[in-house]
Amino acid sequence: MMTDKEIISLMQEEAYKPMSYKELEKHFGIESANEFKDFIKLLNQLEESGHIVRGGNDRYGVPERMNLVRGKLQAHAKGFGFLIPDDRDHPDVYINAHDLNTAMNGDIVFVKVTARSQGGGRLEGEVVRVITRANTQIVGVFQSQETFGFVIADDKRVSRDIFIPQHAFMGAVTGQKVVVKIVNYPEGRSAAEGEVIEILGHKDDPGVDILAIVRKHQLPEAFQEDVLAEADAAPDSITEEEIIGQGRRDLRSKRIVTIDGEDAKDLDDAVNVELLENGNLRLGVHIADVSYYVRESTALDIEAYNRGCSVYLTDRVIPMLPHRLSNGICSLNPRVDRLTMSCEMEFDEDLKLVNHEIFTSVIKTSERMTYTNVRKLLKGEAEPEIVEKYAYLMEDFKRMEELAARLRSRRMKRGAIDFDFEESKIIVDSEGKPTDIVKRERSVAEMMIEEFMLAANETVAEHFSWMKVPFLYRVHEDPDAEKLMNFMEFVTNFGYSVKGKGNSVHPRALQALLEEIKGTPEETVLSKIMLRSMKQARYDAQSLGHFGLAAEFYSHFTSPIRRYPDLIIHRVIREVLESGGTLSDKRHEYLSSRMSDIAQQSSERERVAVDAERETEALKKAQYMLDKVGEEFEGIISSVTGFGMFVELDNTVEGLIRLSDLTDDYYNFHERQFALIGERTSKIYRIGDEIKIRVARVNMDEHTIDFELLDMKPRKEGGFSRGGKPPFKGAAGFKGFRGGSDKGKPEKGKGGFAAKGKGGYAKAQGSGAAGGERSKERAGVGGTAEGKERAERVGQGRGGAGGTGRAAGGAARRIEAAARVEGGAGQGRGEGSGRAEGGAGRAEGAAGQGKSRRGKSGSTPWSEKRGKGGTGRSKAGSPKLSEGGSLSARLESVGAGRTESGAARSESKRGRGGIALGSEAQAGGGSSAAPRSTGGSDWASGVNALAKGGRRRSDDGDDSKKRRR
């Protein structure tokens, strides 16, 4: 029978030329009608999945041979996006907002590469086909306009509101959180159209916030009836016949304990340490044998595959398996028989692993221990009744402590990186309102279990890697050389150095740095930036090693109740053990064909879970700080960007001090030093500095917190005077900048300094362009903070630097879908590209720009380069402004467009962007996010530079590389 691999392999051959289905039929020698029918069906399936492409002449080929790249679209809140190719060796492809066609964030698409940089490293393309839709429903706030409505999506990467016709309201009223099903996807200037399918409640009602996050990430809550029926069929207890019949090793006589948090209910790992007669230590790690109850291809198995993992939100858990299993027969509850998969490891006096065994077993745990009690017992802080109760286990705990310390020491010596981040736990009341934020303690008890689980994971991975059976591994590849070099250069600002060059740096050198900075003010910050320079850990069918752990072999074996990859490898282990250490060729081939798919699915579901958990944490932290507005705290600068600096408080809450709120001076952002430096005072704010702040604002729509420095004086009305010169008062009323006279104040929603207080001076800098690395990877060694774009805060809405996005126009604005900000902050109507009437400089998103001036024939006098989508065309070439000489000369006289990173002032290369009005061109240093408009001298920035009488601040900061790697 014909297989998909045969077809794809043929089309990948160098000599292959695109063939029609008849030519393929002849090539493969298909004769019978049934074979032909199956062959056509297979061709259609491969085409629909995007593995092959049918050209305009009905001839088939693989995408890479037809100038197409297949991958996932990662959209940005400003409208543009990036293609993350399936081929990991292929660079990401930037896609302008106009070239997304109907694609939305997360869609699997084909992209045609349309432009390359001179070195070939920067690619630009357009979506030519959507293969799989990721967004079938959207969660957001409903707004009724009587005869029609709109849903403003919670996910800011959905950059245009969803139009809802009146007949599809389903009773929704303004202010309610709703789930809408997308009926028509956005195309051209037309917004997406949807229908309300669920009303979650008013956005301010208790519990609706978390429920909205659950729906937004499409996390499944309830289990289907067939899944619950299978779970209910599981036994409540284990019989002796089961134990004997399966040939399990009986470990019920051993002193085995579970050690978990106080609130844990799904206990899936237990441990014991024994001193052997030969003086060696035997470590036993016993994991719940979930695979015995969740069999392949059952409803339970399919549901677990789809969910991928359990999701732990602040006030609830969305489990991978029904509670009947996870908290019942699979949970290693104390003093009851439980089926397990065991890994026993024997270490000699030099801590060399001299023997190990992996086998099925049955255990009966002696106690259900908590981290708190174990810590107190080992530290001598336990209450007398606790000491008495667990006296018979004290010798075991001391052995565990000693063995764990030696395992950790060995791991550190080989070069493992130990990120010791402070994590927080948010305490909520019965209505979900946060009442406190406390730090999670990483005590000796947590570290003991961590080391034992790491040892078992490595042992299992190495064992089955050498057996050459299909398996799943947890891999963490070497860091990107460029990111690592940037980090190595950055740490020199603090007086530290890292030995090595680029990706030849050994993890031992990075761990040495972590040990050197331990206890210093910059420890947390440098640790986070180091983590961000690394790649994200993921699952793979190949053992590629784990850089962060300095481990050649690593897998996830220890949590099958809450992680699907662990469940899968348990199933493989059982099958290998039951078949005498081998697999049949047929079974081997089947499992091999499935592992890559399972690895990808598990990695994707893990990312969804992490995103949902982070968003919930940000929401609850914002709620907690809501009644703290006006209160003062001490914090540490955790990140510095071109639009301000993030400050982390002792309780792990993080907030932004906007550049516009630093009123004592004008500050320039120095990218390489991660510092803001005052032009007049030379005052420096950099990562790691301790400062005192006041909580200024909390935005519950964005889940963000704004701080302000204490003792900041407001700027004088009319601007900041430099060198005794009178302030410049042009540019649409710069005098109204700091809340003085309304005279000359820009109109609401048009991006001026005073637009809803959402941008101020920082907005004029194009500060919506990025940088802020707000997302925090707290998952240990396994990941990096991806998507720096998520951290962008200034502008608060989709308008970013150039306007409040939704402020103006109400229904009229929404009807004109093209007036939505599509491609970047401050683009306003038509993205500053002349798509609005007349095509000339209508840039209502430009900060403080005032009225645009038009040349004859709709030409824009200040345009020195025009392209196909530019700001109008004129036969006259580059006319000068009537007063004060050419704009470029005037800008040059005040230093506009210069950046502190030394990047030369450049102009738009492509016509679509025309003169960039605070759009993708905001990053002055030539951000890779904006290949179309590298933007040193855009009109908005130019006018602002004139208005301020000095050069504009560099904003290419953290986000100078916008591609997700």
Side-chain angles (χ1 to χ4, degrees), residues 125-271:
E126 61 180 338
V127 176
V128 296
R129 179 189 158 198
V130 177
I131 301 168
T132 306
R133 293 285 184 188
N135 300 279
T136 56
Q137 60 187 43
I138 299 292
V139 178
V141 178
F142 183 80
Q143 289 189 356
S144 174
Q145 304 291 339
E146 295 185 2
T147 57
F148 60 90
F150 279 90
V151 170
I152 303 168
D154 288 351
D155 188 348
K156 303 311 173 190
R157 294 170 297 186
V158 180
S159 58
R160 288 190 276 181
D161 301 340
I162 312 298
F163 175 80
I164 311 294
Q166 188 176 23
H167 66 82
F169 282 14
M170 296 292 289
V173 297
T174 297
Q176 287 184 327
K177 286 270 188 183
V178 299
V179 182
V180 296
K181 178 183 177 182
I182 297 180
V183 178
N184 294 312
Y185 287 86
E187 188 166 4
R189 297 191 177 192
S190 299
E193 182 180 333
E195 60 183 16
V196 177
I197 60 173
E198 184 180 4
I199 299 173
L200 304 179
H202 193 275
K203 61 185 179 71
D204 297 327
D205 289 345
V208 170
D209 47 11
I210 298 289
L211 188 58
I213 292 174
V214 170
R215 293 289 189 274
K216 171 184 172 181
H217 295 278
Q218 298 184 36
L219 300 174
E221 288 187 289
F223 289 95
Q224 299 292 330
E225 290 185 7
D226 56 345
V227 176
L228 292 174
E230 286 186 6
D232 290 339
D236 292 318
S237 59
I238 298 163
T239 65
E240 289 296 324
E241 289 76 12
E242 279 184 289
I243 298 170
I244 298 171
Q246 297 173 49
R248 289 180 178 270
R249 190 175 302 182
D250 192 342
L251 305 179
R252 286 176 288 184
S253 61
K254 294 180 180 288
R255 289 195 302 272
I256 299 174
V257 297
T258 60
I259 306 177
D260 292 276
E262 281 83 353
D263 54 355
K265 295 180 177 63
D266 50 351
L267 314 177
D268 53 7
D269 58 82
V271 296

Side-chain angles (χ1 to χ4, degrees), residues 31 51 73 88 94 186 408-409 484 593 619 722 817 829 884:
E31 297 179 354
H51 289 95
L73 177 67
R88 296 189 183 96
Y94 170 79
R408 185 180 187 280
S409 176
L484 200 53
S593 67
L619 163 70
R722 306 184 186 196
R829 299 195 179 99

Side-chain angles (χ1 to χ4, degrees), residues 697-750:
R697 294 172 293 274
V698 176
N699 186 322
M700 290 310 302
D701 290 332
E702 305 288 334
H703 307 161
T704 55
I705 305 162
D706 285 349
F707 296 153
E708 59 187 10
L709 282 174
L710 300 184
D711 303 324
M712 271 289 161
K713 298 178 181 179
R715 290 198 181 101
K716 295 180 180 179
E717 181 181 313
F720 187 85
S721 177
R722 306 184 186 196
K725 296 181 181 180
F728 186 87
K729 298 181 181 178
F734 183 69
K735 186 174 181 178
F737 168 39
R738 289 302 300 175
S741 169
D742 289 337
K743 185 176 180 181
K745 189 174 182 179
E747 292 181 27
K748 180 181 180 183
K750 292 194 175 182

Side-chain angles (χ1 to χ4, degrees), residues 109-129:
V109 298
F110 274 142
V111 165
K112 181 179 180 180
V113 176
T114 57
R116 298 176 184 266
S117 64
Q118 290 183 352
R122 303 284 187 264
L123 304 182
E124 187 172 339
E126 61 180 338
V127 176
V128 296
R129 179 189 158 198

Side-chain angles (χ1 to χ4, degrees), residues 40 130 160 224 242 282 338 352 381 400 407 450 511 515 557 614 697 699 721 740 764 778 786 927:
I40 294 297
V130 177
R160 288 190 276 181
Q224 299 292 330
E242 279 184 289
R282 179 191 289 150
R338 287 292 184 260
K352 181 180 178 181
E381 302 169 355
M400 289 181 188
L407 286 172
E450 180 182 312
Q511 176 59 28
E515 292 173 358
F557 164 75
R614 282 194 188 139
R697 294 172 293 274
N699 186 322
S721 177
R778 296 189 183 279
E786 59 178 352
S927 166

Side-chain angles (χ1 to χ4, degrees), residues 861-894:
W862 52 81
S863 176
E864 297 183 6
K865 272 197 176 183
R866 295 183 296 278
K868 60 184 179 181
T871 55
R873 299 184 179 183
S874 172
K875 295 179 180 179
S878 302
K880 294 184 178 181
L881 289 171
S882 58
E883 59 222 53
S886 69
L887 179 66
S888 59
R890 292 170 62 196
L891 293 181
E892 196 146 8
S893 70
V894 296

Side-chain angles (χ1 to χ4, degrees), residues 426-430 432-437 620 623-624 628:
I426 302 172
I427 311 298
V428 296
D429 60 20
S430 58
K433 182 180 179 181
T435 57
D436 197 9
I437 300 176
K620 292 302 177 184
Q623 283 183 350
Y624 178 74
K628 307 290 189 296

Side-chain angles (χ1 to χ4, degrees), residues 591-656:
L591 289 173
S592 297
S593 67
R594 291 278 294 136
M595 287 303 172
S596 293
D597 173 65
I598 293 172
Q600 182 176 349
Q601 164 74 1
S602 299
S603 298
E604 290 174 357
R605 295 309 301 171
E606 179 187 44
R607 294 312 310 161
V608 170
V610 169
D611 289 345
E613 289 165 4
R614 282 194 188 139
E615 189 171 345
T616 305
E617 183 178 298
L619 163 70
K620 292 302 177 184
K621 285 183 176 179
Q623 283 183 350
Y624 178 74
M625 299 300 290
L626 197 56
D627 59 359
K628 307 290 189 296
V629 173
E631 294 186 19
E632 299 175 1
F633 297 89
E634 291 185 355
I636 184 171
I637 298 175
S638 58
S639 182
V640 179
T641 74
F643 55 81
M645 53 190 177
F646 289 98
V647 177
E648 184 173 327
L649 307 184
D650 186 58
N651 62 3
T652 71
V653 169
E654 196 174 40
L656 171 68

